[in-house]
Amino acid sequence: MPDSLGPRLKVGVVVPSTNTSAQPELDALRPDGVTNHTGRMVIDDDPMVDEPGFGHVMAGIRRSTRPAVRGVIGCDPGCVIIGVSPESYWEGTPAHGRVHAAMREAAGGRPVTMSPDAINAALAAYDVRRIAVITPYLPVGDDSVRRFFGDSGYDLLNLHGLGMPSPAKISHVSETELRDAVKEVDGADVEAIVQVGTNVAMARVAAVAEFWLGKPVLSNNVVLYWHALRQNGIADRVRGFGSLLSEH
């Protein structure tokens, strides 16, 4: 018998314990018959202002991700979203396949969605290569993101870091700051704007910005959920959160 509330798909989601944005945003994106089930990677809200601090946060995420995945698969989800961005970029594109394989193993062989794959798929859906990126980080985190997109073959025209000093502080970024960041990175040559960082609540701002700019504005949480749905046979067009979910 199928799950009574999630007969079409149960989505497992793991996020850092400091993240307060991903869960409500992903819940707002659910089509009928799809349910989300969130587990927490237990980390401290340590400073990320320099490389040692950023590395300490990454070490905490690495220690806690597999236990969080194991905790969420107890409800037998059809797939698992790894809702943390820095781990996906910190070691560069050559390491991503290894990290993804390790996450899929922890998920008992279930399909796993991570930011690099989801963002690549979203940009391919629009057939764009010239992009601008918004991150929540200080330069130490921005450098890893810049390297990832460059190594992936994108022409990164602009990058704006919001300068948040710790994982929990990322959720404090206001919609006004996000609006200003979109203005900062946009340009005539920019084909799409990409926001990374799952604790940034940008789904609503991105949809509005996309309407006014006339180009894709992709928020991390929407991209992750879109990719998970499409990978697992859910083709519903969800409106109100931008063209990715409503048209692709």
Side-chain angles (χ1 to χ4, degrees):
M1 295 293 291
D3 188 277
S4 61
L5 295 181
R8 301 175 69 199
L9 181 67
K10 292 182 291 185
V11 181
V13 182
V14 293
V15 296
S17 53
T18 53
N19 188 315
T20 56
S21 299
Q23 185 171 352
E25 286 205 327
L26 297 185
D27 280 346
L29 305 177
R30 292 186 304 110
D32 186 55
V34 177
T35 54
N36 301 334
H37 309 277
T38 304
R40 298 268 162 179
M41 312 168 193
V42 179
I43 67 168
D44 295 321
D45 189 32
D46 294 321
M48 301 190 302
V49 298
D50 53 23
E51 189 164 338
F54 208 96
H56 185 67
V57 172
M58 292 302 96
I61 289 172
R62 292 187 184 104
R63 284 194 304 269
S64 59
T65 302
R66 286 177 180 80
V69 172
R70 288 196 297 271
V72 83
I73 64 173
C75 70
D76 193 23
C79 63
V80 176
I81 292 173
I82 308 297
V84 60
S85 293
E87 174 69 0
S88 303
Y89 307 119
W90 192 242
E91 296 184 29
T93 51
H96 175 64
R98 172 179 53 79
V99 174
H100 189 277
M103 294 299 99
R104 181 155 187 160
E105 180 183 9
R110 293 169 176 82
V112 166
T113 299
M114 300 182 71
S115 289
D117 307 305
I119 291 171
N120 283 332
L123 291 172
Y126 292 101
D127 191 25
V128 298
R129 306 301 295 180
R130 297 193 302 275
I131 65 171
V133 174
I134 298 168
T135 89
Y137 311 124
L138 287 153
V140 62
D142 292 342
D143 290 343
S144 298
V145 175
R146 184 178 286 107
R147 183 173 63 248
F148 165 79
F149 283 105
D151 290 348
S152 299
Y154 297 101
D155 188 359
L156 180 55
L157 302 182
N158 296 310
L159 184 145
H160 179 73
L162 294 163
M164 294 297 102
S166 75
K169 293 295 192 301
I170 292 172
S171 67
H172 296 185
V173 175
S174 69
E175 291 188 336
T176 300
E177 290 173 293
L178 292 173
R179 179 203 62 194
D180 293 344
V182 169
K183 291 180 179 179
E184 176 75 20
V185 300
D186 188 34
D189 293 335
V190 172
E191 296 177 313
I193 296 172
V194 179
Q195 172 262 315
V196 302
T198 60
N199 203 18
V200 178
M202 191 166 171
R204 186 168 68 171
V205 173
V208 173
E210 184 177 86
F211 177 77
W212 287 110
L213 296 178
K215 65 182 68 174
V217 181
L218 304 174
S219 67
N220 204 153
N221 289 328
V222 171
V223 168
L224 277 169
Y225 205 68
W226 167 81
H227 195 46
L229 291 177
R230 301 299 184 257
Q231 277 190 314
N232 291 279
I234 305 296
D236 298 44
R237 298 325 197 210
V238 180
R239 302 193 178 278
F241 299 97
S243 61
L244 186 65
L245 265 173
S246 66
E247 299 176 12
H248 295 276

